[in-house]
Amino acid sequence: QLQLQESGPGLVKPSETLSLTCAVSGLSINNRLYHWGWIRQPPDRGLEWMASLYYTGITYYSPSLKSRLTISADSSKNQFSLKVTSVTAADTAMYYCVRLSDGVPGDVWGQGTTVTVSS
Amino acid sequence: QSALTQPASVSGSPGQSITISCTGTSSDIGTSNLVTWYQQHPGKVPKLMIYEVTQRPSGVSNRFSGSKSGNTASLTISGLQAEDEADYYCCSFAGPSPSYVFGTGTKVTVL
């Protein structure tokens, strides 16, 4: 059974870099049928697509966040990661990792990890 | 790239049908068949309800249906039930830089 499990620091200081990891079990992230990505949701607000990647190394980023994001994969650990640089309070959110199937984001979701940006 | 526009709230009585609109542009909904809808109950993970404008994933009730006309996509819930009370979000693939854009979200209330 496919499962995605996010992990993150919980609390990060303004201007620092946020690092998130999504561990995938039950399916190889090198499976050529799927892409993998990140979606976030600030408290009491809507969903925001952030980035996705394909096992070949192709990456896609939200235009509004592109300058601060790096998405990458570690096939040896069957996981993928997201780095967000220069965080501010606006980056406080629940961060979800998702599978994309045939260009459809979120046919499978992780449970999410909460990140708070505060000094 | 602006968020797709949805009504903040829609309500209906049990058994009624409601429709949620999602308005974008010719750079997203207008030129993409990758339009999806998600349901999110409070404190829960979003759930995919509709993909590729009209398709339902296995296990999703046929009371949920999707459509698109021009730059506007719609989600219709027929035979409204108490369990349908949730937030709903649309999403579309957007060009020219490959990305996705979500809607502003709609709170559905069952009266």
mmCIF file with all atom_site columns, all heavy atoms in Angstrom, chain B residues 29-51:
data_model
loop_
_atom_site.group_PDB
_atom_site.id
_atom_site.type_symbol
_atom_site.label_atom_id
_atom_site.label_alt_id
_atom_site.label_comp_id
_atom_site.label_asym_id
_atom_site.label_entity_id
_atom_site.label_seq_id
_atom_site.pdbx_PDB_ins_code
_atom_site.Cartn_x
_atom_site.Cartn_y
_atom_site.Cartn_z
_atom_site.occupancy
_atom_site.B_iso_or_equiv
_atom_site.pdbx_formal_charge
_atom_site.auth_seq_id
_atom_site.auth_comp_id
_atom_site.auth_asym_id
_atom_site.auth_atom_id
_atom_site.pdbx_PDB_model_num
ATOM 1   N N   . ILE B 1 29 ? -7.443  27.132 -16.947 1.00 0.00 ? 29 ILE B N   1
ATOM 2   C CA  . ILE B 1 29 ? -8.649  26.344 -17.228 1.00 0.00 ? 29 ILE B CA  1
ATOM 3   C C   . ILE B 1 29 ? -9.020  26.371 -18.706 1.00 0.00 ? 29 ILE B C   1
ATOM 4   O O   . ILE B 1 29 ? -9.412  25.344 -19.278 1.00 0.00 ? 29 ILE B O   1
ATOM 5   C CB  . ILE B 1 29 ? -9.821  26.836 -16.367 1.00 0.00 ? 29 ILE B CB  1
ATOM 6   C CG1 . ILE B 1 29 ? -9.567  26.520 -14.897 1.00 0.00 ? 29 ILE B CG1 1
ATOM 7   C CG2 . ILE B 1 29 ? -11.131 26.180 -16.830 1.00 0.00 ? 29 ILE B CG2 1
ATOM 8   C CD1 . ILE B 1 29 ? -10.636 27.027 -13.950 1.00 0.00 ? 29 ILE B CD1 1
ATOM 9   N N   . GLY B 1 30 ? -8.905  27.525 -19.318 1.00 0.00 ? 30 GLY B N   1
ATOM 10  C CA  . GLY B 1 30 ? -9.344  27.674 -20.705 1.00 0.00 ? 30 GLY B CA  1
ATOM 11  C C   . GLY B 1 30 ? -8.636  26.781 -21.695 1.00 0.00 ? 30 GLY B C   1
ATOM 12  O O   . GLY B 1 30 ? -9.181  26.443 -22.752 1.00 0.00 ? 30 GLY B O   1
ATOM 13  N N   . THR B 1 31 ? -7.412  26.361 -21.356 1.00 0.00 ? 31 THR B N   1
ATOM 14  C CA  . THR B 1 31 ? -6.628  25.554 -22.297 1.00 0.00 ? 31 THR B CA  1
ATOM 15  C C   . THR B 1 31 ? -6.141  24.247 -21.688 1.00 0.00 ? 31 THR B C   1
ATOM 16  O O   . THR B 1 31 ? -5.258  23.595 -22.230 1.00 0.00 ? 31 THR B O   1
ATOM 17  C CB  . THR B 1 31 ? -5.410  26.351 -22.790 1.00 0.00 ? 31 THR B CB  1
ATOM 18  O OG1 . THR B 1 31 ? -4.704  26.887 -21.661 1.00 0.00 ? 31 THR B OG1 1
ATOM 19  C CG2 . THR B 1 31 ? -5.834  27.487 -23.704 1.00 0.00 ? 31 THR B CG2 1
ATOM 20  N N   . SER B 1 32 ? -6.700  23.857 -20.576 1.00 0.00 ? 32 SER B N   1
ATOM 21  C CA  . SER B 1 32 ? -6.241  22.635 -19.915 1.00 0.00 ? 32 SER B CA  1
ATOM 22  C C   . SER B 1 32 ? -7.395  21.696 -19.616 1.00 0.00 ? 32 SER B C   1
ATOM 23  O O   . SER B 1 32 ? -8.458  22.131 -19.173 1.00 0.00 ? 32 SER B O   1
ATOM 24  C CB  . SER B 1 32 ? -5.518  22.975 -18.608 1.00 0.00 ? 32 SER B CB  1
ATOM 25  O OG  . SER B 1 32 ? -5.167  21.796 -17.920 1.00 0.00 ? 32 SER B OG  1
ATOM 26  N N   . ASN B 1 33 ? -7.153  20.417 -19.842 1.00 0.00 ? 33 ASN B N   1
ATOM 27  C CA  . ASN B 1 33 ? -8.112  19.400 -19.397 1.00 0.00 ? 33 ASN B CA  1
ATOM 28  C C   . ASN B 1 33 ? -7.692  18.801 -18.062 1.00 0.00 ? 33 ASN B C   1
ATOM 29  O O   . ASN B 1 33 ? -8.336  17.889 -17.556 1.00 0.00 ? 33 ASN B O   1
ATOM 30  C CB  . ASN B 1 33 ? -8.246  18.301 -20.443 1.00 0.00 ? 33 ASN B CB  1
ATOM 31  C CG  . ASN B 1 33 ? -9.085  18.753 -21.620 1.00 0.00 ? 33 ASN B CG  1
ATOM 32  O OD1 . ASN B 1 33 ? -10.021 19.536 -21.452 1.00 0.00 ? 33 ASN B OD1 1
ATOM 33  N ND2 . ASN B 1 33 ? -8.747  18.280 -22.800 1.00 0.00 ? 33 ASN B ND2 1
ATOM 34  N N   . LEU B 1 34 ? -6.591  19.346 -17.512 1.00 0.00 ? 34 LEU B N   1
ATOM 35  C CA  . LEU B 1 34 ? -6.127  18.867 -16.208 1.00 0.00 ? 34 LEU B CA  1
ATOM 36  C C   . LEU B 1 34 ? -6.732  19.740 -15.110 1.00 0.00 ? 34 LEU B C   1
ATOM 37  O O   . LEU B 1 34 ? -6.035  20.471 -14.412 1.00 0.00 ? 34 LEU B O   1
ATOM 38  C CB  . LEU B 1 34 ? -4.600  18.873 -16.156 1.00 0.00 ? 34 LEU B CB  1
ATOM 39  C CG  . LEU B 1 34 ? -3.912  17.859 -17.067 1.00 0.00 ? 34 LEU B CG  1
ATOM 40  C CD1 . LEU B 1 34 ? -2.401  18.024 -17.002 1.00 0.00 ? 34 LEU B CD1 1
ATOM 41  C CD2 . LEU B 1 34 ? -4.299  16.441 -16.700 1.00 0.00 ? 34 LEU B CD2 1
ATOM 42  N N   . VAL B 1 35 ? -8.054  19.680 -15.002 1.00 0.00 ? 35 VAL B N   1
ATOM 43  C CA  . VAL B 1 35 ? -8.773  20.394 -13.950 1.00 0.00 ? 35 VAL B CA  1
ATOM 44  C C   . VAL B 1 35 ? -9.224  19.375 -12.917 1.00 0.00 ? 35 VAL B C   1
ATOM 45  O O   . VAL B 1 35 ? -9.817  18.345 -13.269 1.00 0.00 ? 35 VAL B O   1
ATOM 46  C CB  . VAL B 1 35 ? -9.988  21.153 -14.507 1.00 0.00 ? 35 VAL B CB  1
ATOM 47  C CG1 . VAL B 1 35 ? -10.763 21.822 -13.363 1.00 0.00 ? 35 VAL B CG1 1
ATOM 48  C CG2 . VAL B 1 35 ? -9.544  22.198 -15.536 1.00 0.00 ? 35 VAL B CG2 1
ATOM 49  N N   . THR B 1 36 ? -8.919  19.649 -11.663 1.00 0.00 ? 36 THR B N   1
ATOM 50  C CA  . THR B 1 36 ? -9.234  18.724 -10.582 1.00 0.00 ? 36 THR B CA  1
ATOM 51  C C   . THR B 1 36 ? -10.007 19.431 -9.483  1.00 0.00 ? 36 THR B C   1
ATOM 52  O O   . THR B 1 36 ? -9.989  20.662 -9.379  1.00 0.00 ? 36 THR B O   1
ATOM 53  C CB  . THR B 1 36 ? -7.950  18.128 -9.981  1.00 0.00 ? 36 THR B CB  1
ATOM 54  O OG1 . THR B 1 36 ? -7.069  19.196 -9.602  1.00 0.00 ? 36 THR B OG1 1
ATOM 55  C CG2 . THR B 1 36 ? -7.227  17.231 -10.967 1.00 0.00 ? 36 THR B CG2 1
ATOM 56  N N   . TRP B 1 37 ? -10.695 18.635 -8.687  1.00 0.00 ? 37 TRP B N   1
ATOM 57  C CA  . TRP B 1 37 ? -11.432 19.137 -7.531  1.00 0.00 ? 37 TRP B CA  1
ATOM 58  C C   . TRP B 1 37 ? -11.089 18.291 -6.319  1.00 0.00 ? 37 TRP B C   1
ATOM 59  O O   . TRP B 1 37 ? -10.961 17.073 -6.419  1.00 0.00 ? 37 TRP B O   1
ATOM 60  C CB  . TRP B 1 37 ? -12.942 19.070 -7.786  1.00 0.00 ? 37 TRP B CB  1
ATOM 61  C CG  . TRP B 1 37 ? -13.447 20.060 -8.772  1.00 0.00 ? 37 TRP B CG  1
ATOM 62  C CD1 . TRP B 1 37 ? -13.551 19.877 -10.125 1.00 0.00 ? 37 TRP B CD1 1
ATOM 63  C CD2 . TRP B 1 37 ? -13.927 21.382 -8.506  1.00 0.00 ? 37 TRP B CD2 1
ATOM 64  N NE1 . TRP B 1 37 ? -14.065 21.015 -10.717 1.00 0.00 ? 37 TRP B NE1 1
ATOM 65  C CE2 . TRP B 1 37 ? -14.309 21.946 -9.743  1.00 0.00 ? 37 TRP B CE2 1
ATOM 66  C CE3 . TRP B 1 37 ? -14.074 22.140 -7.341  1.00 0.00 ? 37 TRP B CE3 1
ATOM 67  C CZ2 . TRP B 1 37 ? -14.830 23.244 -9.840  1.00 0.00 ? 37 TRP B CZ2 1
ATOM 68  C CZ3 . TRP B 1 37 ? -14.590 23.426 -7.436  1.00 0.00 ? 37 TRP B CZ3 1
ATOM 69  C CH2 . TRP B 1 37 ? -14.972 23.963 -8.679  1.00 0.00 ? 37 TRP B CH2 1
ATOM 70  N N   . TYR B 1 38 ? -10.976 18.969 -5.176  1.00 0.00 ? 38 TYR B N   1
ATOM 71  C CA  . TYR B 1 38 ? -10.638 18.308 -3.928  1.00 0.00 ? 38 TYR B CA  1
ATOM 72  C C   . TYR B 1 38 ? -11.662 18.677 -2.859  1.00 0.00 ? 38 TYR B C   1
ATOM 73  O O   . TYR B 1 38 ? -12.170 19.802 -2.828  1.00 0.00 ? 38 TYR B O   1
ATOM 74  C CB  . TYR B 1 38 ? -9.241  18.724 -3.438  1.00 0.00 ? 38 TYR B CB  1
ATOM 75  C CG  . TYR B 1 38 ? -8.167  18.501 -4.465  1.00 0.00 ? 38 TYR B CG  1
ATOM 76  C CD1 . TYR B 1 38 ? -7.893  19.474 -5.418  1.00 0.00 ? 38 TYR B CD1 1
ATOM 77  C CD2 . TYR B 1 38 ? -7.446  17.315 -4.510  1.00 0.00 ? 38 TYR B CD2 1
ATOM 78  C CE1 . TYR B 1 38 ? -6.930  19.279 -6.392  1.00 0.00 ? 38 TYR B CE1 1
ATOM 79  C CE2 . TYR B 1 38 ? -6.472  17.110 -5.478  1.00 0.00 ? 38 TYR B CE2 1
ATOM 80  C CZ  . TYR B 1 38 ? -6.224  18.103 -6.413  1.00 0.00 ? 38 TYR B CZ  1
ATOM 81  O OH  . TYR B 1 38 ? -5.272  17.893 -7.375  1.00 0.00 ? 38 TYR B OH  1
ATOM 82  N N   . GLN B 1 39 ? -11.913 17.722 -1.986  1.00 0.00 ? 39 GLN B N   1
ATOM 83  C CA  . GLN B 1 39 ? -12.763 17.927 -0.820  1.00 0.00 ? 39 GLN B CA  1
ATOM 84  C C   . GLN B 1 39 ? -11.887 17.873 0.417   1.00 0.00 ? 39 GLN B C   1
ATOM 85  O O   . GLN B 1 39 ? -11.033 16.992 0.536   1.00 0.00 ? 39 GLN B O   1
ATOM 86  C CB  . GLN B 1 39 ? -13.815 16.806 -0.754  1.00 0.00 ? 39 GLN B CB  1
ATOM 87  C CG  . GLN B 1 39 ? -14.709 16.837 0.465   1.00 0.00 ? 39 GLN B CG  1
ATOM 88  C CD  . GLN B 1 39 ? -15.492 15.540 0.591   1.00 0.00 ? 39 GLN B CD  1
ATOM 89  O OE1 . GLN B 1 39 ? -14.927 14.462 0.792   1.00 0.00 ? 39 GLN B OE1 1
ATOM 90  N NE2 . GLN B 1 39 ? -16.811 15.628 0.457   1.00 0.00 ? 39 GLN B NE2 1
ATOM 91  N N   . GLN B 1 40 ? -12.091 18.815 1.327   1.00 0.00 ? 40 GLN B N   1
ATOM 92  C CA  . GLN B 1 40 ? -11.308 18.800 2.562   1.00 0.00 ? 40 GLN B CA  1
ATOM 93  C C   . GLN B 1 40 ? -12.219 19.062 3.758   1.00 0.00 ? 40 GLN B C   1
ATOM 94  O O   . GLN B 1 40 ? -12.773 20.139 3.909   1.00 0.00 ? 40 GLN B O   1
ATOM 95  C CB  . GLN B 1 40 ? -10.195 19.852 2.531   1.00 0.00 ? 40 GLN B CB  1
ATOM 96  C CG  . GLN B 1 40 ? -9.266  19.778 3.734   1.00 0.00 ? 40 GLN B CG  1
ATOM 97  C CD  . GLN B 1 40 ? -8.157  20.817 3.697   1.00 0.00 ? 40 GLN B CD  1
ATOM 98  O OE1 . GLN B 1 40 ? -8.320  21.920 3.180   1.00 0.00 ? 40 GLN B OE1 1
ATOM 99  N NE2 . GLN B 1 40 ? -6.986  20.455 4.242   1.00 0.00 ? 40 GLN B NE2 1
ATOM 100 N N   . HIS B 1 41 ? -12.337 18.053 4.606   1.00 0.00 ? 41 HIS B N   1
ATOM 101 C CA  . HIS B 1 41 ? -13.051 18.228 5.859   1.00 0.00 ? 41 HIS B CA  1
ATOM 102 C C   . HIS B 1 41 ? -12.117 18.879 6.868   1.00 0.00 ? 41 HIS B C   1
ATOM 103 O O   . HIS B 1 41 ? -10.898 18.751 6.774   1.00 0.00 ? 41 HIS B O   1
ATOM 104 C CB  . HIS B 1 41 ? -13.570 16.886 6.377   1.00 0.00 ? 41 HIS B CB  1
ATOM 105 C CG  . HIS B 1 41 ? -14.710 16.343 5.573   1.00 0.00 ? 41 HIS B CG  1
ATOM 106 N ND1 . HIS B 1 41 ? -14.592 15.279 4.709   1.00 0.00 ? 41 HIS B ND1 1
ATOM 107 C CD2 . HIS B 1 41 ? -16.009 16.739 5.509   1.00 0.00 ? 41 HIS B CD2 1
ATOM 108 C CE1 . HIS B 1 41 ? -15.771 15.027 4.145   1.00 0.00 ? 41 HIS B CE1 1
ATOM 109 N NE2 . HIS B 1 41 ? -16.646 15.901 4.619   1.00 0.00 ? 41 HIS B NE2 1
ATOM 110 N N   . PRO B 1 42 ? -12.664 19.568 7.858   1.00 0.00 ? 42 PRO B N   1
ATOM 111 C CA  . PRO B 1 42 ? -11.830 20.289 8.842   1.00 0.00 ? 42 PRO B CA  1
ATOM 112 C C   . PRO B 1 42 ? -10.788 19.393 9.488   1.00 0.00 ? 42 PRO B C   1
ATOM 113 O O   . PRO B 1 42 ? -11.115 18.308 9.995   1.00 0.00 ? 42 PRO B O   1
ATOM 114 C CB  . PRO B 1 42 ? -12.859 20.774 9.865   1.00 0.00 ? 42 PRO B CB  1
ATOM 115 C CG  . PRO B 1 42 ? -14.117 20.914 9.096   1.00 0.00 ? 42 PRO B CG  1
ATOM 116 C CD  . PRO B 1 42 ? -14.104 19.783 8.104   1.00 0.00 ? 42 PRO B CD  1
ATOM 117 N N   . GLY B 1 43 ? -9.556  19.848 9.447   1.00 0.00 ? 43 GLY B N   1
ATOM 118 C CA  . GLY B 1 43 ? -8.469  19.108 10.070  1.00 0.00 ? 43 GLY B CA  1
ATOM 119 C C   . GLY B 1 43 ? -8.032  17.860 9.336   1.00 0.00 ? 43 GLY B C   1
ATOM 120 O O   . GLY B 1 43 ? -7.204  17.103 9.851   1.00 0.00 ? 43 GLY B O   1
ATOM 121 N N   . LYS B 1 44 ? -8.562  17.652 8.135   1.00 0.00 ? 44 LYS B N   1
ATOM 122 C CA  . LYS B 1 44 ? -8.251  16.443 7.386   1.00 0.00 ? 44 LYS B CA  1
ATOM 123 C C   . LYS B 1 44 ? -7.432  16.745 6.139   1.00 0.00 ? 44 LYS B C   1
ATOM 124 O O   . LYS B 1 44 ? -7.324  17.892 5.703   1.00 0.00 ? 44 LYS B O   1
ATOM 125 C CB  . LYS B 1 44 ? -9.544  15.726 6.980   1.00 0.00 ? 44 LYS B CB  1
ATOM 126 C CG  . LYS B 1 44 ? -10.412 15.318 8.157   1.00 0.00 ? 44 LYS B CG  1
ATOM 127 C CD  . LYS B 1 44 ? -9.706  14.326 9.055   1.00 0.00 ? 44 LYS B CD  1
ATOM 128 C CE  . LYS B 1 44 ? -10.627 13.822 10.153  1.00 0.00 ? 44 LYS B CE  1
ATOM 129 N NZ  . LYS B 1 44 ? -9.929  12.853 11.056  1.00 0.00 ? 44 LYS B NZ  1
ATOM 130 N N   . VAL B 1 45 ? -6.882  15.683 5.560   1.00 0.00 ? 45 VAL B N   1
ATOM 131 C CA  . VAL B 1 45 ? -6.125  15.794 4.321   1.00 0.00 ? 45 VAL B CA  1
ATOM 132 C C   . VAL B 1 45 ? -7.091  15.945 3.147   1.00 0.00 ? 45 VAL B C   1
ATOM 133 O O   . VAL B 1 45 ? -8.133  15.291 3.120   1.00 0.00 ? 45 VAL B O   1
ATOM 134 C CB  . VAL B 1 45 ? -5.252  14.540 4.131   1.00 0.00 ? 45 VAL B CB  1
ATOM 135 C CG1 . VAL B 1 45 ? -4.512  14.588 2.797   1.00 0.00 ? 45 VAL B CG1 1
ATOM 136 C CG2 . VAL B 1 45 ? -4.266  14.395 5.285   1.00 0.00 ? 45 VAL B CG2 1
ATOM 137 N N   . PRO B 1 46 ? -6.775  16.798 2.197   1.00 0.00 ? 46 PRO B N   1
ATOM 138 C CA  . PRO B 1 46 ? -7.656  16.909 1.009   1.00 0.00 ? 46 PRO B CA  1
ATOM 139 C C   . PRO B 1 46 ? -7.804  15.578 0.294   1.00 0.00 ? 46 PRO B C   1
ATOM 140 O O   . PRO B 1 46 ? -6.898  14.738 0.320   1.00 0.00 ? 46 PRO B O   1
ATOM 141 C CB  . PRO B 1 46 ? -6.921  17.931 0.134   1.00 0.00 ? 46 PRO B CB  1
ATOM 142 C CG  . PRO B 1 46 ? -6.140  18.755 1.088   1.00 0.00 ? 46 PRO B CG  1
ATOM 143 C CD  . PRO B 1 46 ? -5.694  17.789 2.151   1.00 0.00 ? 46 PRO B CD  1
ATOM 144 N N   . LYS B 1 47 ? -8.940  15.415 -0.353  1.00 0.00 ? 47 LYS B N   1
ATOM 145 C CA  . LYS B 1 47 ? -9.252  14.191 -1.084  1.00 0.00 ? 47 LYS B CA  1
ATOM 146 C C   . LYS B 1 47 ? -9.607  14.543 -2.514  1.00 0.00 ? 47 LYS B C   1
ATOM 147 O O   . LYS B 1 47 ? -10.428 15.439 -2.760  1.00 0.00 ? 47 LYS B O   1
ATOM 148 C CB  . LYS B 1 47 ? -10.427 13.470 -0.424  1.00 0.00 ? 47 LYS B CB  1
ATOM 149 C CG  . LYS B 1 47 ? -10.908 12.234 -1.179  1.00 0.00 ? 47 LYS B CG  1
ATOM 150 C CD  . LYS B 1 47 ? -12.150 11.649 -0.529  1.00 0.00 ? 47 LYS B CD  1
ATOM 151 C CE  . LYS B 1 47 ? -12.704 10.470 -1.314  1.00 0.00 ? 47 LYS B CE  1
ATOM 152 N NZ  . LYS B 1 47 ? -13.957 9.940  -0.709  1.00 0.00 ? 47 LYS B NZ  1
ATOM 153 N N   . LEU B 1 48 ? -9.002  13.829 -3.456  1.00 0.00 ? 48 LEU B N   1
ATOM 154 C CA  . LEU B 1 48 ? -9.294  14.047 -4.869  1.00 0.00 ? 48 LEU B CA  1
ATOM 155 C C   . LEU B 1 48 ? -10.692 13.553 -5.192  1.00 0.00 ? 48 LEU B C   1
ATOM 156 O O   . LEU B 1 48 ? -11.013 12.396 -4.939  1.00 0.00 ? 48 LEU B O   1
ATOM 157 C CB  . LEU B 1 48 ? -8.258  13.310 -5.722  1.00 0.00 ? 48 LEU B CB  1
ATOM 158 C CG  . LEU B 1 48 ? -8.410  13.414 -7.234  1.00 0.00 ? 48 LEU B CG  1
ATOM 159 C CD1 . LEU B 1 48 ? -8.163  14.838 -7.713  1.00 0.00 ? 48 LEU B CD1 1
ATOM 160 C CD2 . LEU B 1 48 ? -7.453  12.441 -7.931  1.00 0.00 ? 48 LEU B CD2 1
ATOM 161 N N   . MET B 1 49 ? -11.520 14.434 -5.776  1.00 0.00 ? 49 MET B N   1
ATOM 162 C CA  . MET B 1 49 ? -12.904 14.083 -6.085  1.00 0.00 ? 49 MET B CA  1
ATOM 163 C C   . MET B 1 49 ? -13.173 14.000 -7.581  1.00 0.00 ? 49 MET B C   1
ATOM 164 O O   . MET B 1 49 ? -13.990 13.190 -8.030  1.00 0.00 ? 49 MET B O   1
ATOM 165 C CB  . MET B 1 49 ? -13.845 15.125 -5.469  1.00 0.00 ? 49 MET B CB  1
ATOM 166 C CG  . MET B 1 49 ? -13.714 15.302 -3.977  1.00 0.00 ? 49 MET B CG  1
ATOM 167 S SD  . MET B 1 49 ? -14.061 13.794 -3.061  1.00 0.00 ? 49 MET B SD  1
ATOM 168 C CE  . MET B 1 49 ? -15.842 13.740 -3.173  1.00 0.00 ? 49 MET B CE  1
ATOM 169 N N   . ILE B 1 50 ? -12.529 14.871 -8.346  1.00 0.00 ? 50 ILE B N   1
ATOM 170 C CA  . ILE B 1 50 ? -12.703 14.914 -9.793  1.00 0.00 ? 50 ILE B CA  1
ATOM 171 C C   . ILE B 1 50 ? -11.343 15.197 -10.426 1.00 0.00 ? 50 ILE B C   1
ATOM 172 O O   . ILE B 1 50 ? -10.585 16.028 -9.920  1.00 0.00 ? 50 ILE B O   1
ATOM 173 C CB  . ILE B 1 50 ? -13.685 16.025 -10.226 1.00 0.00 ? 50 ILE B CB  1
ATOM 174 C CG1 . ILE B 1 50 ? -15.092 15.757 -9.700  1.00 0.00 ? 50 ILE B CG1 1
ATOM 175 C CG2 . ILE B 1 50 ? -13.692 16.193 -11.753 1.00 0.00 ? 50 ILE B CG2 1
ATOM 176 C CD1 . ILE B 1 50 ? -15.830 14.619 -10.393 1.00 0.00 ? 50 ILE B CD1 1
ATOM 177 N N   . TYR B 1 51 ? -11.024 14.507 -11.522 1.00 0.00 ? 51 TYR B N   1
ATOM 178 C CA  . TYR B 1 51 ? -9.810  14.809 -12.264 1.00 0.00 ? 51 TYR B CA  1
ATOM 179 C C   . TYR B 1 51 ? -10.124 14.868 -13.755 1.00 0.00 ? 51 TYR B C   1
ATOM 180 O O   . TYR B 1 51 ? -11.152 14.353 -14.200 1.00 0.00 ? 51 TYR B O   1
ATOM 181 C CB  . TYR B 1 51 ? -8.702  13.791 -11.966 1.00 0.00 ? 51 TYR B CB  1
ATOM 182 C CG  . TYR B 1 51 ? -8.977  12.382 -12.467 1.00 0.00 ? 51 TYR B CG  1
ATOM 183 C CD1 . TYR B 1 51 ? -8.465  11.944 -13.678 1.00 0.00 ? 51 TYR B CD1 1
ATOM 184 C CD2 . TYR B 1 51 ? -9.750  11.497 -11.715 1.00 0.00 ? 51 TYR B CD2 1
ATOM 185 C CE1 . TYR B 1 51 ? -8.706  10.657 -14.134 1.00 0.00 ? 51 TYR B CE1 1
ATOM 186 C CE2 . TYR B 1 51 ? -9.990  10.212 -12.166 1.00 0.00 ? 51 TYR B CE2 1
ATOM 187 C CZ  . TYR B 1 51 ? -9.466  9.799  -13.370 1.00 0.00 ? 51 TYR B CZ  1
ATOM 188 O OH  . TYR B 1 51 ? -9.713  8.519  -13.820 1.00 0.00 ? 51 TYR B OH  1
#
